[in-house]
Coordinates of all heavy atoms in Angstrom, one line a residue:
Chain A
K156 N -49.1 269.5 196.9 CA -49.1 269.9 195.5 C -48.3 271.2 195.3 O -48.4 272.1 196.1 CB -50.5 270.2 195.1 CG -50.9 269.8 193.7 CD -52.3 270.2 193.3 CE -53.3 269.0 193.5 NZ -54.6 269.3 192.9
N161 N -44.9 267.4 190.9 CA -46.2 266.8 190.7 C -46.2 265.3 190.8 O -46.7 264.7 191.7 CB -46.8 267.2 189.3 CG -47.2 268.6 189.2 OD1 -48.2 269.0 189.9 ND2 -46.6 269.5 188.4
Y162 N -45.5 264.7 189.9 CA -45.3 263.2 189.9 C -43.9 262.8 190.2 O -43.0 263.5 189.6 CB -45.7 262.6 188.6 CG -47.2 262.7 188.3 CD1 -47.7 263.9 187.7 CD2 -48.1 261.7 188.7 CE1 -49.1 264.0 187.4 CE2 -49.5 261.9 188.4 CZ -49.9 263.0 187.8 OH -51.3 263.1 187.6
Q278 N -48.0 261.0 193.4 CA -48.5 262.2 192.9 C -48.8 263.1 194.1 O -49.4 262.7 195.1 CB -49.8 261.9 192.1 CG -50.5 263.1 191.5 CD -51.8 262.8 190.8 OE1 -52.2 261.7 190.8 NE2 -52.4 263.8 190.3
T279 N -48.3 264.3 194.0 CA -48.3 265.2 195.1 C -49.8 265.5 195.6 O -50.7 265.2 194.9 CB -47.7 266.6 194.8 OG1 -48.2 267.1 193.6 CG2 -46.1 266.4 194.7
N280 N -49.8 266.0 196.8 CA -51.0 266.0 197.6 C -51.2 264.5 198.1 O -52.2 263.9 198.0 CB -52.3 266.5 196.9 CG -53.5 266.6 197.9 OD1 -53.3 266.6 199.1 ND2 -54.7 266.6 197.3
N345 N -54.5 218.6 185.4 CA -54.3 219.6 184.4 C -55.6 220.0 183.8 O -56.2 219.3 183.0 CB -53.4 219.1 183.2 CG -53.2 220.0 182.1 OD1 -53.9 221.0 181.9 ND2 -52.1 219.8 181.3
V346 N -56.2 221.1 184.4 CA -57.5 221.5 184.0 C -57.5 223.0 183.6 O -56.7 223.7 184.0 CB -58.6 221.2 185.1 CG1 -58.7 219.8 185.4 CG2 -58.2 222.0 186.3
K347 N -58.5 223.3 182.8 CA -58.7 224.7 182.4 C -60.1 225.2 182.7 O -61.1 224.5 182.4 CB -58.4 224.9 180.9 CG -57.0 224.6 180.5 CD -56.7 224.9 179.0 CE -55.3 224.6 178.7 NZ -54.9 224.8 177.3
D394 N -55.5 221.9 190.0 CA -54.1 222.3 189.8 C -53.9 223.8 190.0 O -53.4 224.5 189.2 CB -53.6 221.8 188.5 CG -54.4 222.4 187.3 OD1 -55.5 223.0 187.6 OD2 -54.0 222.3 186.2
K400 N -50.3 230.6 187.1 CA -51.4 230.5 186.1 C -52.4 231.6 186.5 O -52.8 231.8 187.6 CB -52.0 229.1 186.3 CG -53.2 228.8 185.5 CD -53.5 227.3 185.7 CE -54.9 227.0 185.2 NZ -55.2 225.6 185.5
E401 N -52.9 232.3 185.5 CA -53.7 233.5 185.8 C -55.2 233.1 186.0 O -55.8 233.7 187.0 CB -53.6 234.5 184.6 CG -54.4 235.8 184.9 CD -54.0 236.9 184.1 OE1 -53.3 236.7 183.0 OE2 -54.3 238.1 184.5
E443 N -59.6 240.7 190.2 CA -60.1 242.1 190.0 C -61.1 242.1 188.8 O -62.2 242.7 188.9 CB -59.0 243.1 189.8 CG -58.2 243.4 191.0 CD -57.5 244.7 191.0 OE1 -57.6 245.4 190.0 OE2 -56.8 245.0 192.0
R444 N -60.8 241.4 187.8 CA -61.7 241.4 186.6 C -63.0 240.7 186.9 O -64.0 240.9 186.2 CB -61.0 241.0 185.4 CG -60.7 239.6 185.2 CD -60.2 239.2 183.8 NE -58.9 239.8 183.5 CZ -57.7 239.1 183.5 NH1 -57.8 237.8 183.8 NH2 -56.6 239.7 183.3
D447 N -66.6 242.2 190.6 CA -68.1 242.6 190.7 C -69.0 241.4 190.5 O -70.0 241.3 191.2 CB -68.4 243.6 189.6 CG -68.1 245.1 190.1 OD1 -68.4 245.4 191.3 OD2 -67.5 245.9 189.3
R448 N -68.6 240.5 189.6 CA -69.5 239.3 189.4 C -69.4 238.4 190.6 O -70.4 237.8 190.9 CB -69.0 238.7 188.1 CG -69.3 239.6 186.9 CD -68.8 239.0 185.6 NE -69.1 240.0 184.5 CZ -69.4 239.7 183.3 NH1 -69.3 238.4 182.9 NH2 -69.6 240.6 182.4
W480 N -48.6 248.1 194.4 CA -49.8 247.7 193.6 C -50.7 246.8 194.4 O -51.9 246.9 194.4 CB -49.3 247.0 192.3 CG -50.4 247.0 191.3 CD1 -50.8 247.9 190.3 CD2 -51.4 245.9 191.1 NE1 -51.9 247.5 189.6 CE2 -52.3 246.3 190.1 CE3 -51.7 244.7 191.8 CZ2 -53.3 245.5 189.7 CZ3 -52.7 243.9 191.4 CH2 -53.5 244.3 190.3
R491 N -64.6 247.7 197.4 CA -65.6 247.2 196.5 C -66.5 246.2 197.3 O -67.7 246.2 197.0 CB -65.0 246.5 195.3 CG -66.0 246.3 194.2 CD -65.5 246.3 192.8 NE -65.1 247.7 192.4 CZ -64.9 248.0 191.1 NH1 -65.0 247.1 190.2 NH2 -64.6 249.2 190.8
Chain B
K369 N -52.2 217.6 175.8 CA -52.1 217.2 177.2 C -51.4 215.9 177.3 O -51.7 215.0 176.5 CB -53.5 217.1 177.8 CG -53.6 217.4 179.2 CD -55.0 217.2 179.8 CE -55.9 218.4 179.6 NZ -57.1 218.3 180.5
N374 N -47.2 219.4 181.2 CA -48.5 220.2 181.6 C -48.3 221.7 181.5 O -48.9 222.3 180.6 CB -48.8 219.8 183.1 CG -49.4 218.4 183.2 OD1 -50.4 218.1 182.6 ND2 -48.7 217.5 183.9
Y375 N -47.4 222.2 182.3 CA -47.2 223.7 182.2 C -45.8 223.9 181.8 O -44.9 223.2 182.2 CB -47.4 224.3 183.6 CG -48.8 224.3 184.1 CD1 -49.3 223.2 184.8 CD2 -49.7 225.3 183.8 CE1 -50.6 223.1 185.2 CE2 -51.0 225.3 184.2 CZ -51.5 224.2 184.9 OH -52.8 224.1 185.3
Q491 N -50.1 226.1 179.0 CA -50.7 224.9 179.7 C -51.1 224.0 178.5 O -51.8 224.4 177.6 CB -51.8 225.3 180.6 CG -52.5 224.1 181.3 CD -53.7 224.5 182.1 OE1 -54.0 225.7 182.2 NE2 -54.3 223.5 182.8
T492 N -50.7 222.7 178.6 CA -51.0 221.9 177.4 C -52.5 221.7 177.2 O -53.3 222.1 178.0 CB -50.4 220.5 177.7 OG1 -50.8 220.0 178.9 CG2 -48.8 220.5 177.6
N493 N -52.7 221.2 176.0 CA -54.0 221.3 175.3 C -54.1 222.8 174.8 O -55.1 223.5 175.1 CB -55.2 221.0 176.2 CG -56.5 220.9 175.4 OD1 -56.4 220.8 174.1 ND2 -57.6 221.0 176.0
N558 N -52.6 268.8 187.7 CA -52.3 267.7 188.7 C -53.6 267.4 189.4 O -54.0 268.2 190.3 CB -51.3 268.2 189.7 CG -51.0 267.2 190.8 OD1 -51.8 266.3 191.1 ND2 -49.8 267.4 191.4
V559 N -54.3 266.4 188.9 CA -55.6 266.1 189.5 C -55.7 264.6 189.9 O -54.9 263.8 189.3 CB -56.8 266.4 188.5 CG1 -56.8 267.9 188.2 CG2 -56.6 265.6 187.2
K560 N -56.6 264.3 190.8 CA -56.8 263.0 191.2 C -58.2 262.6 191.1 O -59.1 263.3 191.5 CB -56.3 262.8 192.7 CG -54.8 262.9 192.9 CD -54.4 262.6 194.3 CE -52.9 262.9 194.5 NZ -52.5 262.5 195.8
D607 N -54.4 265.6 183.2 CA -53.0 265.1 183.2 C -52.9 263.6 183.0 O -52.4 262.9 183.8 CB -52.3 265.5 184.5 CG -53.0 264.9 185.8 OD1 -54.1 264.4 185.6 OD2 -52.5 265.0 186.8
K613 N -49.5 256.5 185.5 CA -50.4 256.6 186.6 C -51.5 255.6 186.4 O -52.1 255.5 185.3 CB -50.9 258.1 186.5 CG -52.0 258.5 187.5 CD -52.3 260.0 187.3 CE -53.5 260.5 188.0 NZ -53.8 261.9 187.7
E614 N -51.9 255.0 187.4 CA -52.9 253.9 187.3 C -54.3 254.3 187.2 O -55.1 253.9 186.3 CB -52.7 252.9 188.4 CG -53.6 251.6 188.2 CD -53.2 250.5 189.0 OE1 -52.4 250.6 189.9 OE2 -53.7 249.3 188.7
E656 N -59.8 247.1 183.6 CA -60.4 245.8 183.9 C -61.2 245.8 185.2 O -62.3 245.3 185.2 CB -59.3 244.7 184.0 CG -58.7 244.4 182.6 CD -58.1 243.0 182.6 OE1 -58.1 242.3 183.6 OE2 -57.6 242.6 181.5
R657 N -60.7 246.5 186.2 CA -61.5 246.5 187.4 C -62.7 247.4 187.4 O -63.6 247.2 188.2 CB -60.6 246.9 188.6 CG -60.2 248.3 188.7 CD -59.5 248.6 190.1 NE -58.2 247.9 190.2 CZ -57.0 248.5 190.0 NH1 -56.9 249.8 189.7 NH2 -55.9 247.9 190.1
D660 N -66.9 246.1 184.1 CA -68.4 245.8 184.2 C -69.2 247.1 184.5 O -70.2 247.3 183.9 CB -68.6 244.8 185.3 CG -68.5 243.4 184.8 OD1 -69.0 243.1 183.7 OD2 -67.9 242.5 185.5
R661 N -68.6 247.9 185.3 CA -69.4 249.2 185.7 C -69.4 250.1 184.5 O -70.4 250.8 184.3 CB -68.7 249.8 186.9 CG -68.9 248.9 188.1 CD -68.2 249.4 189.4 NE -68.4 248.5 190.4 CZ -68.5 248.8 191.7 NH1 -68.3 250.1 192.1 NH2 -68.7 247.9 192.7
W693 N -50.0 239.0 178.2 CA -51.0 239.5 179.1 C -51.9 240.5 178.4 O -53.1 240.4 178.6 CB -50.3 240.1 180.3 CG -51.3 240.2 181.5 CD1 -51.5 239.3 182.4 CD2 -52.2 241.3 181.7 NE1 -52.5 239.8 183.3 CE2 -52.9 241.0 182.9 CE3 -52.4 242.6 181.1 CZ2 -53.9 241.9 183.4 CZ3 -53.4 243.4 181.6 CH2 -54.1 243.1 182.8
R704 N -66.1 240.5 177.1 CA -67.0 241.1 178.1 C -67.9 242.1 177.5 O -69.1 242.2 177.9 CB -66.2 241.7 179.2 CG -67.0 242.0 180.4 CD -66.3 242.0 181.7 NE -66.0 240.6 182.2 CZ -65.7 240.3 183.4 NH1 -65.6 241.2 184.4 NH2 -65.4 239.0 183.8

Side-chain angles (χ1 to χ4, degrees):
Chain A
K156 214 184 266 194
N161 287 296
Y162 292 88
Q278 180 180 0
T279 51
N280 188 18
N345 177 338
V346 295
K347 293 185 182 181
D394 57 350
K400 176 178 169 182
E401 185 160 17
E443 289 202 359
R444 73 171 67 101
D447 272 319
R448 294 175 181 210
W480 197 89
R491 193 149 288 194
Chain B
K369 212 183 272 195
N374 286 297
Y375 293 88
Q491 181 181 0
T492 52
N493 188 19
N558 178 339
V559 295
K560 293 185 184 182
D607 59 349
K613 176 178 168 180
E614 185 160 16
E656 289 201 1
R657 72 171 68 100
D660 272 319
R661 294 174 181 211
W693 197 90
R704 193 151 286 197

